[in-house]
Amino acid sequence: MPHPDIPEGHQRTGSVAFASPHLGADGIRVTRSYPADSTIMMTSVTYHWHTSPGLPDVLLRTHHDDPEVIAAAMEPMDAFARTLRLPGAGPRRVATV
């Protein structure tokens, strides 16, 4: 978590739509970089899907103190996030363009 004294203006955030063959097309990936203190820059990546009523939402989060590590690992993290599934939930349709 960012240090409470660090203003939001010093944080960078971005989000993109993120589809999963198992959880559906309405997912989102949020990337956030922020200084954890005066010497360390943290980057977190959060994947989130709203699921059907009666099922829990799905949230996957990772973070690291080296933004270059996160950048280099983004493709494998995306691939892993696309493998997530809920027990007992069938595949959800993902629209293709």
Side-chain angles (χ1 to χ4, degrees):
M1 296 301 292
H3 192 281
D5 296 333
I6 298 171
E8 282 196 38
H10 292 184
Q11 302 176 37
R12 290 181 291 145
T13 60
S15 62
V16 296
F18 192 83
S20 162
H22 308 291
L23 298 173
D26 60 349
I28 188 168
R29 180 184 70 204
V30 178
T31 305
R32 183 169 162 221
S33 294
Y34 53 90
D37 62 26
S38 62
T39 61
I40 298 174
M41 184 68 143
M42 295 295 293
T43 299
S44 71
V45 180
T46 304
Y47 301 85
H48 184 253
W49 289 270
H50 290 293
T51 58
S52 302
L55 293 173
D57 284 356
V58 176
L59 178 71
L60 172 67
R61 187 172 193 185
T62 183
H63 69 274
H64 202 280
D65 62 359
D66 186 342
E68 291 181 12
V69 169
I70 290 288
M74 189 65 72
E75 191 173 321
M77 288 187 310
D78 284 355
F80 175 74
R82 287 185 183 99
T83 69
L84 297 176
R85 31 178 114 212
L86 287 171
R92 296 195 54 200
R93 219 167 109 146
V94 176
T96 56
V97 184

